[in-house]
C-alpha cells in the first residue's frame, strides 16, 4: 500500500498561509490607516526578490477542536528570517504590529527553543537588520504566564551585545520602538527613523502619565525632533519607509558581512588621479569666512559615494561613509558653518562612534581637520566637554585602523590632538592654508600677555602688536622646517588619498577579526 505524507504537507501550506495573514484583515487595515506598511511589505522592500526565507513561522498561538484539528492560528508578533540584500545574505528580525502590537506576549524562551534571529546572525557571521514596530512588553503577558517575572540579563541580551563586535547591526524604526524596542534601537551600529510614524521611548505616554502626571503625545516624547535632532539616539531620518530601507541597504553596502572579512570593493567609477581645480581656493583667506565641509568631502572621495551619518545632530562635525577608488572608508570633517567647527559633546560623540565603526569593520579613516578646539563656554562646561574630550582621545589612541588626516585650516589644542595618532598606519598632510598650535593666537595673546597689555598706554594697540609678532611664527612652512610635516597642493589631495587607501588594504588584512577594544553604542 502506497504511503503519502501529502496531508501533512498540506498542513504545512495551510499554516504558512495563516502566518502570512498576520493579525488578520482588520488589524492589517488598522496598520494601513496609521500610514504604515505591513511587516511582509517591509521585508519585500529590503530583500532581493524571491530570496526571503522565514524561520519560526509556525510559532504562535493555536486553537484546536475536540478532534485535535486546527481551528485557528495567530502567529507571533515578530517575523524572522534570512534573505539577500544586494546579493549578500543578512538576517532579519521584523516586528509585526498587527499581532498584539508586536508584543512578545509572554514568549520568553524555554526548553527546546530554536535559535533566535540574533543567535543565527552571530553563529553564521551575517549582518543583522531589525525592522522595529512594536509596542513593547505588556502586562497582559502576566495573564498568559500566570505570574510576573524577574527582569534579568537573558541569554539573548548577551547575544545582542556580542553582535556589535561581530557583524554589522542596523535598526530601522518603522513605528513604535517601545520598551525593549528602545534598547534595540541603540544596540546597533546605525539606525534610522521615519518622519511622522516613528517613535522611540522605554515607556510611552500612559507610563509617563502614571509616573510623572504629564500629558504628552508620542511624537513629543520620542519622535524625530527629539531623537534625530536633539538626543542623537537615532542617526538618520527618512521621508518614508521605502527611503528608510534604502538608507539601510546603502549603509550595509560599505561594511563586510562580519569582522572576519574585509569590506567589498566596488568597481571604481572615478578617476583616481582626479585633481579638482576648486580645491586650490576652497579655503578662504579671511578666517572669518567659512566653507562647506560636505562639498570638500565630495570633491575628494569617489563621486556620489558619500553617505552621511547623523546629519541633523552634532553639526559641528560631519561624519559618514564613502568610497575611495572603490574601497569603503569612514570620513569625518569639522564643519565651520556650525559653531566654527569646534567639537562639542554631540560632535565628539559622533566622531567617537565613527572611530569605533571603522576600527570594528576594517575601514580606513579619512579626516579633514579644521579644528578650533574643544567647545568653550558655560554650556560646554555644563554638558561635560572635558569628559567627551577624554573619551575621544582614548578612542583615538586605542584605534588601529589606517588613518589619514588632511589639515585644511585650524588644528588647535586638545581638539586638534584628537586628529592625530602616534602609532599604527597614520599619515598627515597639511594644506598651505593650515595653522596650528596650543591655542589661537588672538585669544592666547590676551591670556599670555595680559599684564603687558593692561600696563600699556594703548592696550588695544599693544595687543595688536603682539599678535602681529606672533603671527610671523604661524606659517606652516616654519613647522615643516622643524618637523618634516608635508605640505601639499590641495589639488593633490585625492591622488594622495587613493594611494594611502590602496596601501591600507595590506594592513587591514592583518587586522581581520574582533576589535581589541569592544564596540560600545
Amino acid at each position: 500500500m502506497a504511503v503519502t505524507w501529502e496531508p501533512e504537507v498540506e498542513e504545512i501550506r495551510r499554516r504558512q498561509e495563516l502566518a502570512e495573514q498576520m493579525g488578520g484583515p482588520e488589524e492589517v487595515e488598522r496598520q494601513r490607516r496609521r500610514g504604515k506598511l505591513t511587516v511582509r511589505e517591509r521585508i519585500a522592500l529590503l530583500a532581493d526578490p524571491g530570496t526571503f526565507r522565514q524561520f519560526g513561522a509556525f510559532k504562535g498561538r493555536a486553537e484546536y477542536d475536540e478532534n485535535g484539528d486546527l481551528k485557528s492560528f495567530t502567529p507571533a508578533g515578530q517575523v524572522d528570517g534570512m534573505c539577500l540584500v544586494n546579493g549578500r545574505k543578512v538576517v532579519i528580525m521584523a516586528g509585526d504590529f498587527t499581532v498584539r502590537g508586536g508584543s512578545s506576549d509572554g514568549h520568553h524562551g524555554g526548553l527546546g527553543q530554536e535559535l533566535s534571529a540574533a543567535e543565527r546572525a552571530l553563529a553564521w557571521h551575517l549582518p543583522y537588520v531589525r525592522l522595529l514596530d512594536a509596542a513593547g512588553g505588556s502586562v497582559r503577558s502576566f495573564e498568559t504566564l500566570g505570574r510576573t517575572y524577574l527582569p534579568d540579563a537573558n541569554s539573548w541580551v548577551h547575544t545582542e551585545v556580542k553582535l556589535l563586535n561581530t557583524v554589522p547591526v542596523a535598526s530601522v524604526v518603522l513605528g513604535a520602538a517601545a520598551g525593549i524596542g528602545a534598547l534595540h534601537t541603540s544596540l546597533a551600529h546605525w539606525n534610522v527613523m521615519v518622519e511622522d510614524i516613528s517613535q522611540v521611548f522605554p515607556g510611552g505616554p500612559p507610563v509617563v502619565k502614571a509616573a510623572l502626571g504629564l500629558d504628552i503625545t508620542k511624537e513629543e516624547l520620542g519622535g524625530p525632533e527629539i531623537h534625530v535632532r536633539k538626543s542623537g539616539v537615532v542617526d538618520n531620518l527618512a521621508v518614508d519607509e521605502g527611503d528608510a530601507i534604502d538608507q539601510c541597504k546603502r549603509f550595509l553596502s560599505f561594511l563586510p558581512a562580519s569582522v572576519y572579512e574585509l569590506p567589498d570593493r566596488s568597481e571604481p567609477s572615478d578617476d583616481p588621479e582626479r585633481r579638482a581645480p576648486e580645491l586650490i581656493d576652497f579655503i578662504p583667506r579671511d578666517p572669518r569666512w567659512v566653507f562647506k565641509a560636505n562639498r570638500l568631502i565630495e570633491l575628494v572621495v569617489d563621486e556620489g559615494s558619500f553617505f552621511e551619518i547623523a546629519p541633523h545632530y552634532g553639526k559641528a562635525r560631519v561624519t559618514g561613509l564613502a568610497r575611495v577608488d572603490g574601497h569603503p572608508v569612514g570620513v569625518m570633517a569639522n564643519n565651520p558653518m556650525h559653531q566654527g567647527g569646534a567639537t562639542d559633546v554631540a560632535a565628539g560623540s559622533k566622531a567617537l562612534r565613527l572611530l569605533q565603526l571603522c576600527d570594528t569593520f576594517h575601514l580606513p579613516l579619512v579626516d579633514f581637520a579644521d579644528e578650533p578646539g574643544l567647545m568653550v563656554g558655560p554650556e560646554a562646561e555644563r554638558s561635560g566637554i572635558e569628559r567627551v574630550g577624554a573619551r575621544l582621545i582614548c578612542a583615538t589612541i586605542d584605534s588601529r585602523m589606517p588613518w589619514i588626516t588632511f589639515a585644511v585650516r585650524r588644528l588647535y589644542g586638545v581638539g586638534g590632538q584628537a586628529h592625530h595618532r602616534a602609532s599604527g598606519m597614520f599619515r598627515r598632510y597639511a594644506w598651505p592654508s593650515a595653522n596650528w598650535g596650543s591655542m589661537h593666537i588672538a585669544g592666547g595673546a590676551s591670556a599670555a600677555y595680559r599684564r603687558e597689555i593692561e600696563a600699556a598706554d594703548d592696550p588695544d594697540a599693544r595687543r595688536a602688536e603682539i599678535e602681529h609678532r606672533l603671527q610671523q611664527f604661524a606659517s606652516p612652512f616654519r613647522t615643516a622646517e622643524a618637523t618634516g610635516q608635508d605640505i601639499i597642493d590641495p589639488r593633490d589631495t585625492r591622488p594622495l588619498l587613493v594611494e594611502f587607501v590602496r596601501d591600507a588594504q595590506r594592513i587591514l588584512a592583518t587586522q581581520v577579526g574582533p576589535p581589541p577594544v569592544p564596540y560600545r553604542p
Side-chain angles (χ1 to χ4, degrees):
M1 179 178 177
V3 176
T4 177
W5 291 94
E6 189 60 40
E8 286 76 11
V9 172
E10 181 59 34
E11 178 73 1
I12 292 173
R13 284 193 288 265
R14 181 187 177 200
R15 288 176 180 260
Q16 287 173 334
E17 290 173 357
L18 290 171
E20 290 175 2
Q21 292 175 12
M22 298 168 283
E26 291 184 6
E27 289 300 323
V28 169
E29 180 57 30
R30 286 183 63 189
Q31 179 83 345
R32 298 197 192 287
R33 287 199 301 269
R34 295 186 180 102
K36 300 193 297 183
L37 300 176
T38 68
V39 66
R40 301 283 173 176
E41 291 168 333
R42 291 164 174 169
I43 291 172
L45 286 176
L46 179 67
D48 294 352
T51 64
F52 179 65
R53 299 289 180 268
Q54 185 176 355
F55 48 77
F58 297 155
K59 190 172 183 178
R61 301 192 180 281
E63 292 185 13
Y64 296 88
D65 61 20
E66 62 277 7
N67 298 318
D69 294 326
L70 183 68
K71 289 174 54 180
S72 65
F73 175 74
T74 302
Q78 182 174 307
V79 177
D80 298 332
M82 294 185 183
C83 70
L84 298 183
V85 174
N86 294 330
R88 297 196 313 169
K89 184 160 282 190
V90 306
V91 178
I92 302 173
M93 180 275 274
D96 184 358
F97 202 86
T98 70
V99 181
R100 298 182 297 276
S103 170
S104 62
D105 200 22
H107 288 291
H108 296 284
L111 293 176
Q113 291 288 317
E114 293 296 317
L115 290 179
S116 68
E119 289 168 330
R120 295 187 194 221
L122 183 64
W124 290 41
H125 294 171
L126 293 174
Y128 185 51
V129 177
R130 304 186 188 98
L131 304 181
L132 298 174
D133 186 9
S138 170
V139 294
R140 287 179 177 272
S141 65
F142 300 159
E143 289 186 311
T144 304
L145 287 170
R147 61 178 175 82
T148 59
Y149 60 88
L150 284 164
D152 56 34
N154 298 296
S155 60
W156 63 263
V157 178
H158 294 262
T159 301
E160 302 276 354
V161 173
K162 289 178 181 178
L163 279 173
L164 294 176
N165 297 287
T166 310
V167 302
V169 180
S171 290
V172 184
V173 184
L174 300 171
I180 196 64
L183 178 63
H184 281 158
T185 298
S186 291
L187 279 177
H189 300 106
W190 176 84
N191 53 26
V192 62
M193 63 194 309
V194 181
E195 195 77 75
D196 297 328
I197 68 169
S198 301
Q199 306 90 32
V200 177
F201 34 65
V207 178
V208 173
K209 176 71 173 178
L212 304 175
L214 179 65
D215 287 310
I216 193 169
T217 68
K218 292 191 294 183
E219 282 291 315
E220 292 170 334
L221 181 61
E225 185 63 30
I226 299 299
H227 288 313
V228 175
R229 298 183 175 93
K230 294 180 179 178
S231 74
V233 165
V234 176
D235 293 315
N236 287 40
L237 182 63
V239 296
D240 56 33
E241 296 188 54
D243 179 31
I245 290 172
D246 284 344
Q247 288 190 45
C248 178
K249 289 181 178 181
R250 193 165 180 209
F251 172 76
L252 293 175
S253 72
F254 292 99
L255 303 179
S258 77
V259 297
Y260 298 99
E261 304 174 24
L262 291 180
D264 291 335
R265 182 194 185 201
S266 65
E267 186 64 31
S269 58
D270 198 353
D271 181 4
E273 297 298 320
R274 176 168 56 79
R275 300 173 79 248
E278 188 177 336
L279 292 176
I280 190 61
D281 54 7
F282 194 84
I283 303 298
R285 282 192 176 273
D286 188 332
R288 296 171 297 179
W289 287 34
V290 296
F291 59 87
K292 295 182 178 179
N294 288 64
R295 178 60 180 165
L296 172 57
I297 293 170
E298 291 163 358
L299 286 169
V300 177
V301 302
D302 291 357
E303 187 175 6
S305 70
F306 182 53
F307 175 75
E308 188 171 359
I309 295 175
H312 304 287
Y313 177 74
K315 293 183 179 181
R317 188 74 66 97
V318 176
T319 61
L321 302 172
R323 290 185 181 272
V324 173
D325 196 35
H327 294 287
V329 300
V331 186
M332 66 181 181
N334 294 91
N335 178 15
M337 299 185 74
H338 187 79
Q339 298 178 170
T343 299
D344 59 5
V345 169
S349 297
K350 275 174 65 173
L352 193 149
R353 290 187 66 219
L354 181 67
L355 263 63
Q356 290 189 102
L357 183 69
C358 291
D359 222 26
T360 300
F361 293 109
H362 323 307
L363 303 177
L365 178 63
V366 184
D367 179 11
F368 297 98
D370 177 19
E371 178 66 74
L374 297 182
M375 191 65 187
V376 298
E379 183 57 36
E381 296 304 320
R382 284 192 290 269
S383 65
I385 187 63
E386 292 84 1
R387 187 171 296 279
V388 80
R391 290 176 61 212
L392 190 53
I393 291 298
C394 288
T396 297
I397 291 172
D398 285 338
S399 68
R400 59 174 182 165
M401 72 285 176
W403 180 336
I404 185 169
T405 292
F406 293 95
V408 301
R409 192 156 65 171
R410 299 158 298 175
L411 210 56
Y412 287 105
V414 174
Q417 187 179 342
H419 294 268
H420 177 268
R421 190 181 63 201
S423 61
M425 186 178 182
F426 179 86
R427 191 75 167 89
R428 180 168 62 190
Y429 290 105
W431 287 11
S433 50
N435 56 86
W436 38 62
S438 58
M439 63 179 64
H440 295 268
I441 287 176
S446 296
Y449 295 87
R450 180 174 59 84
R451 291 184 180 178
E452 182 177 337
I453 292 170
E454 290 175 350
D457 294 335
D458 187 342
D460 289 339
R462 186 58 175 154
R463 182 186 300 107
E465 177 188 335
I466 292 171
E467 289 177 2
H468 178 73
R469 185 176 76 240
L470 294 175
Q471 287 290 354
Q472 308 309 307
F473 303 105
S475 167
F477 294 101
R478 291 208 179 195
T479 300
E481 291 166 4
T483 66
Q485 172 63 54
D486 286 324
I487 303 171
I488 64 170
D489 181 336
R491 292 167 293 192
D492 290 333
T493 301
R494 176 171 168 80
L496 289 169
L497 175 58
V498 168
E499 179 184 13
F500 179 85
V501 170
R502 286 174 177 173
D503 290 342
Q505 303 309 307
R506 293 181 293 106
I507 302 301
L508 292 169
T510 69
Q511 297 177 350
V512 169
V517 178
Y519 183 95
R520 292 292 179 260

